[in-house]
Amino acid sequence: MTSPSLSNLVRQPVLFGFDNSYARLPERFYSRTNPVPVAAPRLIKINVELAHKLGLNPEALASAEGIEILSGNQVATGSEPIALAYAGHQFGHFVPQLGDGRANLLGEVVGCDASRYDIQLKGSGPTPFSRRGDGRAALGPVLREYIVSEAMHSLGVPTTRALAAVTTGEEVFRESVLPGAVLTRVAASHLRVGTFQYFAARNDVEGLQILADYAIGRHYPEAAQAKQPYQTLLKSVVGRQARLIAQWTLLGFIHGVMNTDNSSIFGETIDYGPCAFMEAYDPDKVFSSIDRQGRYSYSNQPHAAHWNLTRLAEALLPILEQEAGSQEAALASAYEALETFATQYETTRLTGLRHKLGLFTEQEGDEALAQDLLDRMAANRADFTLTFRRLCDAAAQPHGDAGVRNLFADPAAFDAWAAGWRRRLEAEPLSGEARTAAMRLANPAFIPRNHVVEAALDAAIERQDFQPFEELLSVTSHPYEDRPHLERYATPARPEESVTQTFCGT
Ligand code: AMP
Ligand code: MG
């Protein structure tokens, strides 16, 4: 649904059916702030499938009233806009107050799956947390978040999602003058590691406890029955984050800004800034222009996540102490929870790697086999996504090797590995078509490749042409299906198209 003319035809009231549990928490958790109206909103996109999942009417969202709401010009019935308070470690430096400086939580809805979702406007104007920022978002980053978050969802990775995007008819001033836009983001919640740090930094133990109880009630209700609910909360977050980061690495995804304020308590991928999928496999890969030390490089991501979770554990210490009985016991409790990260991460990663190689049983040498392939890919600059996708064909028949070996600077490096792989495959009960089909579900054909994303953003920004954005969305919404006529979306950038750096653009 992209036709703005629809908005004139349809007269359906926009009914969100908000139930705003966060706005019922104490006032110090947020600031009650309305979105700041914009000059001339225009609809770019409504996510019809997501609207239905949330029990919302996509036609109503695309109506004149809907666009007013999605741009922040009108406050929807039942909405209680708030900007959330949080702190965070940014590249290792603690900032005791960050908060939603350019976002408003409109409210929460309970979707058709009985789960609760936050509906947030991002880029909706200054709030008391804006510091020196203008509270706005540029069109490019809004479209990038739309594309990449929806792609992640389709790839099966926990993530916030995009319900809508509108342009504002206003300019934002970054390094250049850019069109402004507002994204409607949907999240299981906007609770971050930094939210806990906000209260811990203020020695507000009561606030911490209220927040922890809220997080348990909303995301981990089983923890309430546990002997140590707060340790169980911590363990649950550790588990979700560990599995999330493993999923990222299995897809070659680099988040780029894994600060504690961008680390979700529910374990969703959140705050898409200078994120990117790598093409040529390089474990040290960094895209973000601001990440000069490689703190958030591809292979540092599990360490970064563990570091963030350690900050969460520290923030929770006062209430872990209440439940454990002493400071020593609280520390032991925190360590015990943090220690579960490694196993959860490694297990998810190894299972995922096995599936990527077509191995659905377990053998001792599987990890070494996978690592050997990755090492050879790195040495030969092989495209991460395409190597694994073409491996599906190679698994089906030996003459399928041509496609994958060609991706290696020295194709013989693949051949030497493939011989051992074939021997290992002989021990698998699943073979032929069934194996190839199963492998295809572990190895996407389509990820949002950076040069294609950039081209889609450029067309929208420079020519108000949203067709490339639409086409890219449609391709990446079915990442595991072969679509021969869309081959150009599945192949790496030519050298002159290659994107080597990404920018926050905030
Ligand atoms: P982010 O880099 O998007 O994770 O944001 C980090 C912090 O900076 C958060 O507190 C944001 O609300 C704030 N921020 C980012 N961009 C802006 C902006 N344009 N105006 C105000 N605050 C912003
Ligand atoms: Mg953020």
Side-chain angles (χ1 to χ4, degrees):
M1 177 163 323
T2 49
S3 161
S5 60
L6 253 179
S7 56
N8 304 325
L9 300 175
V10 185
R11 298 258 178 275
Q12 312 241 23
V14 185
L15 298 174
F16 280 94
F18 283 121
D19 172 43
N20 306 324
S21 65
Y22 209 80
R24 293 195 286 272
L25 294 178
E27 296 278 333
R28 64 187 187 283
F29 279 61
Y30 49 77
S31 161
R32 293 194 186 272
T33 320
N34 282 355
V36 179
V38 300
R42 281 179 68 106
L43 183 65
I44 302 170
K45 180 81 181 163
I46 297 288
N47 187 336
V48 174
E49 179 253 320
L50 179 56
H52 285 307
K53 182 179 162 189
L54 295 172
L56 304 176
N57 178 342
E59 275 95 36
L61 289 174
S63 72
E65 184 201 358
I67 297 168
E68 289 289 291
I69 292 168
L70 298 172
S71 63
N73 282 6
Q74 190 179 312
V75 175
T77 308
S79 167
E80 298 168 87
I82 52 177
L84 275 53
Y86 54 86
H89 272 93
Q90 298 189 305
F91 290 90
H93 301 286
F94 187 62
V95 185
Q97 181 168 310
L98 289 166
D100 288 333
R102 53 160 169 172
N104 289 92
L105 176 60
L106 296 185
E108 299 153 31
V109 300
V110 176
C112 301
D113 57 358
S115 300
R116 177 175 293 268
Y117 295 95
D118 277 4
I119 311 285
Q120 189 208 57
L121 297 187
K122 185 170 174 182
S124 51
T127 76
F129 300 109
S130 295
R131 297 171 291 158
R132 287 176 301 281
D134 61 1
R136 293 299 178 189
L139 177 59
V142 163
L143 295 183
R144 180 191 299 278
E145 174 154 351
Y146 199 122
I147 292 165
V148 184
S149 67
E150 285 302 304
M152 291 291 264
H153 169 74
S154 301
L155 287 162
V157 182
T159 178
T160 65
R161 298 192 61 187
L163 177 63
V166 297
T167 49
T168 60
E170 294 179 359
E171 293 171 331
V172 296
F173 301 91
R174 299 292 182 259
E175 265 126 59
S176 55
V177 181
L178 296 164
V182 177
L183 179 77
T184 306
R185 176 160 76 177
V186 175
S189 82
H190 285 84
L191 297 180
R192 305 149 190 269
V193 169
T195 318
F196 285 87
Q197 291 182 292
Y198 180 86
F199 295 99
R202 284 159 183 73
N203 291 315
D204 180 353
V205 180
E206 188 204 32
L208 263 181
Q209 189 161 358
I210 293 170
L211 181 63
D213 291 341
Y214 180 85
I216 289 173
R218 185 152 173 183
H219 296 310
Y220 304 106
E222 64 290 347
Q225 315 314 321
K227 247 181 40 217
Q228 296 187 298
Y230 298 136
Q231 190 208 34
T232 308
L233 167 65
L234 179 59
K235 260 190 194 160
S236 309
V237 181
V238 167
R240 292 256 181 143
Q241 280 280 337
R243 295 192 294 274
L244 176 70
I245 310 305
Q247 281 190 274
W248 290 359
T249 59
L250 290 165
L251 292 165
F253 178 75
I254 303 174
H255 181 282
V257 210
M258 292 176 67
N259 293 332
T260 56
D261 53 305
N262 295 337
S263 176
S264 148
I265 293 299
F266 185 61
E268 287 183 325
T269 314
I270 190 169
D271 274 2
Y272 291 84
C275 57
F277 289 82
M278 63 175 160
E279 297 208 297
Y281 178 63
D282 170 7
D284 298 325
K285 186 76 190 166
V286 177
F287 284 101
S288 169
S289 61
I290 55 172
D291 190 3
R292 296 209 177 81
Q293 317 284 320
R295 182 183 173 92
Y296 302 135
S297 72
Y298 171 78
S299 57
N300 267 348
Q301 296 186 116
H303 307 287
H306 188 268
W307 192 91
N308 290 345
L309 292 161
T310 308
R311 305 288 82 75
L312 175 63
E314 274 168 11
L316 289 173
L317 277 177
I319 58 173
L320 289 173
E321 188 175 331
Q322 284 174 9
E323 93 183 347
S326 72
Q327 216 170 42
E328 289 75 46
L331 279 173
S333 168
Y335 279 123
E336 188 192 309
L338 288 168
E339 266 170 16
T340 60
F341 184 93
T343 317
Q344 300 254 9
Y345 172 78
E346 288 303 338
T347 309
T348 308
R349 177 171 178 270
L350 182 53
T351 305
L353 280 173
R354 279 201 176 97
H355 293 175
K356 288 178 92 68
L357 298 184
L359 308 177
F360 298 91
T361 63
E362 296 180 11
Q363 278 193 18
E364 194 69 23
D366 293 346
E367 185 164 16
L369 184 71
Q371 192 55 53
D372 187 20
L373 175 63
L374 290 169
D375 292 344
R376 289 165 193 264
M377 286 165 64
N380 288 277
R381 316 251 334 128
D383 184 82
F384 185 86
T385 305
L386 207 48
T387 298
F388 285 108
R389 184 68 180 185
R390 290 195 179 161
L391 212 52
C392 308
D393 301 323
Q397 64 235 165
H399 62 255
D401 276 14
V404 56
R405 69 193 297 281
N406 289 343
L407 298 170
F408 288 65
D410 171 15
F414 174 76
D415 300 336
W417 177 83
W421 175 54
R422 289 231 148 72
R423 279 195 299 279
R424 170 65 182 87
L425 283 180
E426 280 164 21
E428 284 291 306
L430 209 59
S431 66
E433 275 304 304
R435 171 163 59 214
T436 301
M439 279 178 82
R440 286 207 173 109
L441 296 178
N443 296 312
F446 299 107
I447 48 150
R449 290 184 180 267
N450 307 316
H451 65 293
V452 184
V453 173
E454 291 298 329
L457 268 45
D458 286 349
I461 296 164
E462 285 159 22
R463 303 190 296 280
Q464 293 78 53
D465 174 8
F466 290 91
Q467 203 46 45
F469 163 75
E470 290 286 346
E471 192 164 304
L472 180 53
L473 270 184
S474 129
V475 171
T476 51
S477 64
H478 298 94
Y480 297 105
E481 282 173 24
D482 272 328
R483 295 160 91 182
H485 58 293
L486 294 170
E487 194 62 21
R488 69 188 182 87
Y489 286 97
T491 43
R494 293 188 301 273
E496 73 277 12
E497 296 173 322
S498 182
V499 176
T500 54
Q501 245 190 358
T502 53
F503 300 88
C504 257
T506 52

PDB file of all heavy atoms in Angstrom, residues 86 90 98 102 122 185 192 257 259 261-262 270-271, ligand 2:
ATOM      1  N   TYR A  86      16.467   6.499  29.753  1.00  0.00           N
ATOM      2  CA  TYR A  86      17.485   5.446  29.873  1.00  0.00           C
ATOM      3  C   TYR A  86      18.871   6.070  29.850  1.00  0.00           C
ATOM      4  O   TYR A  86      19.040   7.229  29.474  1.00  0.00           O
ATOM      5  CB  TYR A  86      17.337   4.354  28.802  1.00  0.00           C
ATOM      6  CG  TYR A  86      17.300   4.814  27.360  1.00  0.00           C
ATOM      7  CD1 TYR A  86      18.481   5.013  26.643  1.00  0.00           C
ATOM      8  CD2 TYR A  86      16.096   5.016  26.700  1.00  0.00           C
ATOM      9  CE1 TYR A  86      18.455   5.408  25.307  1.00  0.00           C
ATOM     10  CE2 TYR A  86      16.060   5.408  25.369  1.00  0.00           C
ATOM     11  CZ  TYR A  86      17.245   5.607  24.673  1.00  0.00           C
ATOM     12  OH  TYR A  86      17.218   5.995  23.364  1.00  0.00           O
ATOM     13  N   GLN A  90      28.218   4.243  25.811  1.00  0.00           N
ATOM     14  CA  GLN A  90      28.415   4.442  24.380  1.00  0.00           C
ATOM     15  C   GLN A  90      29.896   4.249  24.079  1.00  0.00           C
ATOM     16  O   GLN A  90      30.729   5.017  24.577  1.00  0.00           O
ATOM     17  CB  GLN A  90      27.953   5.841  23.972  1.00  0.00           C
ATOM     18  CG  GLN A  90      26.452   6.028  24.244  1.00  0.00           C
ATOM     19  CD  GLN A  90      25.915   7.311  23.659  1.00  0.00           C
ATOM     20  OE1 GLN A  90      26.436   8.389  23.936  1.00  0.00           O
ATOM     21  NE2 GLN A  90      24.887   7.212  22.842  1.00  0.00           N
ATOM     22  N   LEU A  98      20.554   9.308  28.678  1.00  0.00           N
ATOM     23  CA  LEU A  98      20.348   9.408  27.223  1.00  0.00           C
ATOM     24  C   LEU A  98      18.852   9.627  27.002  1.00  0.00           C
ATOM     25  O   LEU A  98      18.394  10.751  26.951  1.00  0.00           O
ATOM     26  CB  LEU A  98      20.840   8.140  26.526  1.00  0.00           C
ATOM     27  CG  LEU A  98      22.351   7.943  26.477  1.00  0.00           C
ATOM     28  CD1 LEU A  98      22.696   6.518  26.080  1.00  0.00           C
ATOM     29  CD2 LEU A  98      22.968   8.913  25.482  1.00  0.00           C
ATOM     30  N   ARG A 102      14.576  11.471  20.263  1.00  0.00           N
ATOM     31  CA  ARG A 102      13.860  11.748  19.010  1.00  0.00           C
ATOM     32  C   ARG A 102      12.798  10.692  18.753  1.00  0.00           C
ATOM     33  O   ARG A 102      12.585  10.274  17.617  1.00  0.00           O
ATOM     34  CB  ARG A 102      14.836  11.780  17.860  1.00  0.00           C
ATOM     35  CG  ARG A 102      15.693  10.541  17.790  1.00  0.00           C
ATOM     36  CD  ARG A 102      16.253  10.423  16.435  1.00  0.00           C
ATOM     37  NE  ARG A 102      17.283   9.402  16.421  1.00  0.00           N
ATOM     38  CZ  ARG A 102      17.839   8.972  15.332  1.00  0.00           C
ATOM     39  NH1 ARG A 102      17.474   9.472  14.181  1.00  0.00           N
ATOM     40  NH2 ARG A 102      18.757   8.057  15.374  1.00  0.00           N
ATOM     41  N   LYS A 122       9.679   7.293  15.551  1.00  0.00           N
ATOM     42  CA  LYS A 122      11.098   7.630  15.634  1.00  0.00           C
ATOM     43  C   LYS A 122      11.369   8.760  14.645  1.00  0.00           C
ATOM     44  O   LYS A 122      11.057   8.628  13.453  1.00  0.00           O
ATOM     45  CB  LYS A 122      11.930   6.389  15.283  1.00  0.00           C
ATOM     46  CG  LYS A 122      13.428   6.576  15.459  1.00  0.00           C
ATOM     47  CD  LYS A 122      14.149   5.237  15.339  1.00  0.00           C
ATOM     48  CE  LYS A 122      15.650   5.410  15.372  1.00  0.00           C
ATOM     49  NZ  LYS A 122      16.356   4.128  15.199  1.00  0.00           N
ATOM     50  N   ARG A 185       7.957   2.408  14.587  1.00  0.00           N
ATOM     51  CA  ARG A 185       8.662   1.193  14.962  1.00  0.00           C
ATOM     52  C   ARG A 185       7.814   0.375  15.923  1.00  0.00           C
ATOM     53  O   ARG A 185       7.167   0.925  16.812  1.00  0.00           O
ATOM     54  CB  ARG A 185       9.988   1.578  15.627  1.00  0.00           C
ATOM     55  CG  ARG A 185      10.774   0.410  16.140  1.00  0.00           C
ATOM     56  CD  ARG A 185      12.216   0.759  16.325  1.00  0.00           C
ATOM     57  NE  ARG A 185      12.457   1.571  17.514  1.00  0.00           N
ATOM     58  CZ  ARG A 185      13.682   1.950  17.901  1.00  0.00           C
ATOM     59  NH1 ARG A 185      14.732   1.629  17.173  1.00  0.00           N
ATOM     60  NH2 ARG A 185      13.840   2.658  18.980  1.00  0.00           N
ATOM     61  N   ARG A 192      15.811  -1.519  27.661  1.00  0.00           N
ATOM     62  CA  ARG A 192      17.199  -1.707  27.244  1.00  0.00           C
ATOM     63  C   ARG A 192      18.063  -1.996  28.468  1.00  0.00           C
ATOM     64  O   ARG A 192      17.662  -1.675  29.599  1.00  0.00           O
ATOM     65  CB  ARG A 192      17.718  -0.416  26.589  1.00  0.00           C
ATOM     66  CG  ARG A 192      16.852   0.072  25.442  1.00  0.00           C
ATOM     67  CD  ARG A 192      16.895   1.597  25.325  1.00  0.00           C
ATOM     68  NE  ARG A 192      15.895   2.099  24.373  1.00  0.00           N
ATOM     69  CZ  ARG A 192      16.115   2.285  23.088  1.00  0.00           C
ATOM     70  NH1 ARG A 192      17.299   2.072  22.590  1.00  0.00           N
ATOM     71  NH2 ARG A 192      15.148   2.700  22.285  1.00  0.00           N
ATOM     72  N   VAL A 257      26.567  -0.597  16.315  1.00  0.00           N
ATOM     73  CA  VAL A 257      26.557   0.276  17.509  1.00  0.00           C
ATOM     74  C   VAL A 257      25.967  -0.484  18.690  1.00  0.00           C
ATOM     75  O   VAL A 257      24.900  -0.142  19.197  1.00  0.00           O
ATOM     76  CB  VAL A 257      25.718   1.557  17.317  1.00  0.00           C
ATOM     77  CG1 VAL A 257      26.285   2.685  18.172  1.00  0.00           C
ATOM     78  CG2 VAL A 257      25.612   1.980  15.892  1.00  0.00           C
ATOM     79  N   ASN A 259      25.973  -0.426  21.725  1.00  0.00           N
ATOM     80  CA  ASN A 259      26.035   0.253  23.021  1.00  0.00           C
ATOM     81  C   ASN A 259      24.956  -0.326  23.935  1.00  0.00           C
ATOM     82  O   ASN A 259      23.985  -0.922  23.446  1.00  0.00           O
ATOM     83  CB  ASN A 259      25.842   1.751  22.818  1.00  0.00           C
ATOM     84  CG  ASN A 259      27.006   2.370  22.060  1.00  0.00           C
ATOM     85  OD1 ASN A 259      28.131   1.868  22.128  1.00  0.00           O
ATOM     86  ND2 ASN A 259      26.745   3.442  21.344  1.00  0.00           N
ATOM     87  N   ASP A 261      22.645   1.051  25.450  1.00  0.00           N
ATOM     88  CA  ASP A 261      21.318   1.627  25.199  1.00  0.00           C
ATOM     89  C   ASP A 261      20.691   1.021  23.941  1.00  0.00           C
ATOM     90  O   ASP A 261      19.503   1.226  23.689  1.00  0.00           O
ATOM     91  CB  ASP A 261      21.390   3.161  25.072  1.00  0.00           C
ATOM     92  CG  ASP A 261      22.407   3.602  24.046  1.00  0.00           C
ATOM     93  OD1 ASP A 261      23.583   3.200  24.168  1.00  0.00           O
ATOM     94  OD2 ASP A 261      22.036   4.345  23.117  1.00  0.00           O
ATOM     95  N   ASN A 262      21.471   0.291  23.165  1.00  0.00           N
ATOM     96  CA  ASN A 262      20.931  -0.363  21.970  1.00  0.00           C
ATOM     97  C   ASN A 262      20.862  -1.873  22.167  1.00  0.00           C
ATOM     98  O   ASN A 262      20.896  -2.632  21.213  1.00  0.00           O
ATOM     99  CB  ASN A 262      21.801  -0.041  20.752  1.00  0.00           C
ATOM    100  CG  ASN A 262      21.769   1.435  20.398  1.00  0.00           C
ATOM    101  OD1 ASN A 262      20.825   2.141  20.755  1.00  0.00           O
ATOM    102  ND2 ASN A 262      22.791   1.902  19.712  1.00  0.00           N
ATOM    103  N   ILE A 270      17.788  -4.150  17.855  1.00  0.00           N
ATOM    104  CA  ILE A 270      17.142  -2.829  17.954  1.00  0.00           C
ATOM    105  C   ILE A 270      18.132  -1.733  17.590  1.00  0.00           C
ATOM    106  O   ILE A 270      19.338  -1.898  17.755  1.00  0.00           O
ATOM    107  CB  ILE A 270      16.567  -2.598  19.376  1.00  0.00           C
ATOM    108  CG1 ILE A 270      15.677  -1.348  19.407  1.00  0.00           C
ATOM    109  CG2 ILE A 270      17.656  -2.520  20.438  1.00  0.00           C
ATOM    110  CD1 ILE A 270      14.865  -1.179  20.686  1.00  0.00           C
ATOM    111  N   ASP A 271      17.604  -0.638  17.089  1.00  0.00           N
ATOM    112  CA  ASP A 271      18.373   0.558  16.734  1.00  0.00           C
ATOM    113  C   ASP A 271      19.353   0.307  15.597  1.00  0.00           C
ATOM    114  O   ASP A 271      20.565   0.188  15.783  1.00  0.00           O
ATOM    115  CB  ASP A 271      19.090   1.144  17.960  1.00  0.00           C
ATOM    116  CG  ASP A 271      18.154   2.078  18.713  1.00  0.00           C
ATOM    117  OD1 ASP A 271      16.987   2.208  18.294  1.00  0.00           O
ATOM    118  OD2 ASP A 271      18.572   2.673  19.711  1.00  0.00           O
TER     119      ASP A 271
HETATM  120 MG    MG B   2      19.776   3.958  20.427  1.00  0.00          MG
END
